[in-house]
Amino acid sequence: MKLLKNWNLPDLREAGKRTRGAVERVDTFMIPANAMNMGEGKHYWISTYGCQANERDSETLAGILETLGYGQAESPETADVILVNTCAIRENAMDKVLGELGSFKRIYNARPDVIIGVAGCMAQEDEFVKRVLAHYPWVRLLFGTHNIQDLPALLAEAMDSQERVVHIYSRQVEAYVNLPVKRFGKHKAWVNIMYGCDKFCTYCIVPYTRGKQRSRRMDDILEEVRQLKEDGYREVTLLGQNVNAYGKDLDEGLDFARLLEKTAQTGIERIRFMTSHPWDFTQEMIDVIARYDNIMPYIHLPLQSGDSDVLRRMGRRYSAEEYKGLFDAIVKRIPNVAVSTDIIVGFPNESDEAFQHTLDMVKACRFDSAFTFIYSPRPGTPAAEMEDPVSMDVKRARLQKLNSVWNELALEKMKAYEGRIVQVLVDGPSKRNPGVLSGYTETNKLVNFTGTGVKAGDIVPVYITAAKTFSLDGEMTGPRR
Ligand code: 5AD
Ligand code: SF4
């Protein structure tokens, strides 16, 4: 296929380069004249895959579209603009996205004016972009994680021209702050504290798709939290690929402990943060979490593997013993803390013994919850080049074994909640049963409960009557606040 000159195509090699020094911050957002009010009377649909960073990016995409006058569509069938915000972390994420893009052909055939666009991490991968350009002619717009602020101009270009618009930067970019946002939640909000990642774990595509670590200024973050509090939000989650490294790129002597403490002092009711990297987790951070009641006693602390040799080959920068040391320090200092984790099985050349070390660690830590994955080679990452004699059948069996071990231990932990009273921030009626309410405890446990006179956003005491592996059942026992 002939590639047009004005396309900016992705380049993973370029994206993996890092220069020293701070990144420029841009806090103005300009709408070009030809895009102004272009969405009046029109509607958009956004489909989001992947992590919280993507959820938050979709809120920005929606915010920009609403600034242009677009309203939210009831379904993709009635939308004038459809955007798919993609994830590249594992291969099955790509299969799902391609499946959805395939299903949009029908909409395009019925309404060829519809603009179908692809954004996000997968758009940073050249193989994916080439595939979409070759086989999905109804996709008219492709842009990457660094080009969100260009959406008005890109949409205007896609509407005016018969050509497809492809705009993806791989070079190190400036950080755009203060873009418009449409929050999808009314009581819980995501707050970006940093973008990108410089850790380069050998299996991971994120440092390439999201670029160099760029921390936001602390004053901007605190101002956003204060504003959210004023607007009635009760919970914020501070977001970053590696929140514990916050500030290291700023040369201002700031770190995550200080940011957490300052955030706690805003008085917002619930503070969460994710994701933590064990290597950057300090005792001071643990102390701050322990000291403030509004910092929730819940930590997502990816282990990835319980074997020191695998961890070394993953480029994780800690040994199994060091992880356990940190885990113990957290549990000792923070009463009732819940810890969840991520684990990858079947990393190249993982031996039976190495896998056993992971099981041993899971038994020793008794995680509250675990997100478990089979290793998925990501082209362009160092691990994708490693030899891997372990069969997929063995990897599947390991995943199953791991899941049964952590499930059983987590259920025991959940059982300990029976007969206790927990504080639940209410999301609303439960998805499965509209007669039942649901929400989350301070330790991030999903609770389904009965109660009257309760609305979304309330915090209520709930008496736990029964525990399951993934949720608790209960009854409201006192007044809401
Ligand atoms: N294969 C499988 N799992 C992966 N993760 C990241 N990259 C890969 C990969 N190539 C997992 C890690 C990470 C979580 C978000 O996704 O466990 O913590
Ligand atoms: Fe990926 Fe490692 Fe960065 Fe997490 S810390 S985003 S696993 S490179």
Side-chain angles (χ1 to χ4, degrees), residues 37-73:
N37 304 323
M38 72 192 295
E40 289 301 336
K42 294 185 174 173
H43 295 89
Y44 70 90
W45 177 263
I46 301 176
S47 167
T48 309
Y49 292 83
C51 65
Q52 291 78 12
N54 264 15
E55 293 280 343
R56 179 62 189 77
D57 282 351
S58 287
E59 293 184 338
T60 300
L61 293 170
I64 294 176
L65 289 167
E66 298 208 356
T67 308
L68 300 177
Y70 287 92
Q72 210 170 339

Side-chain angles (χ1 to χ4, degrees), residues 202-221:
T202 57
Y203 50 80
C204 185
I205 195 73
V206 170
Y208 307 87
T209 59
R210 290 199 165 263
K212 181 178 155 83
Q213 173 171 323
R214 286 107 58 212
S215 297
R216 282 179 72 199
R217 301 233 173 269
M218 191 157 88
D219 287 347
D220 291 344
I221 297 167

Side-chain angles (χ1 to χ4, degrees), residues 89-90 203-204 302 304 342-344 373-378:
I89 199 105
R90 284 169 293 273
Y203 50 80
C204 185
Q304 311 300 4
D342 289 345
I343 297 171
I344 298 175
F373 313 101
I374 292 182
Y375 167 71
S376 167
R378 305 285 59 220

Side-chain angles (χ1 to χ4, degrees), residues 270 272 417 422-424 439-445 447 472:
R270 286 184 166 200
R272 300 188 187 279
Y417 280 79
V422 291
Q423 300 297 320
V424 176
Y440 285 84
T441 65
E442 298 194 338
T443 49
N444 211 32
K445 308 284 185 205
V447 181
L472 302 166

Side-chain angles (χ1 to χ4, degrees), residues 78-99:
T78 58
D80 303 280
V81 172
I82 300 174
L83 296 180
V84 183
N85 191 5
T86 61
C87 166
I89 199 105
R90 284 169 293 273
E91 192 164 10
N92 57 3
M94 168 139 78
D95 299 340
K96 281 193 217 153
V97 167
L98 290 175

Side-chain angles (χ1 to χ4, degrees), residues 370-442:
F371 300 88
T372 56
F373 313 101
I374 292 182
Y375 167 71
S376 167
R378 305 285 59 220
T381 60
E385 308 293 313
M386 294 178 190
E387 243 178 78
D388 190 7
V390 183
S391 75
M392 192 41 99
D393 283 349
V394 168
K395 294 185 183 197
R396 280 200 205 97
R398 284 181 188 164
L399 184 72
Q400 229 172 27
K401 174 75 187 161
L402 173 63
N403 284 340
S404 73
V405 169
W406 87 253
N407 276 200
E408 198 177 313
L409 295 169
L411 179 60
E412 272 177 35
K413 277 215 150 165
M414 293 294 260
K415 289 269 179 214
Y417 280 79
E418 287 179 354
R420 271 173 55 189
I421 294 173
V422 291
Q423 300 297 320
V424 176
L425 172 56
V426 181
D427 284 333
S430 134
K431 278 191 196 128
R432 292 214 187 127
N433 181 351
V436 171
L437 293 148
S438 77
Y440 285 84
T441 65
E442 298 194 338

Side-chain angles (χ1 to χ4, degrees), residues 89 197-201 203-207 241-242 277 304 316:
I89 199 105
C197 179
D198 291 340
K199 280 285 177 285
F200 288 98
C201 302
Y203 50 80
C204 185
I205 195 73
V206 170
Q241 302 297 338
N242 170 12
H277 190 301
Q304 311 300 4
R316 290 292 288 178

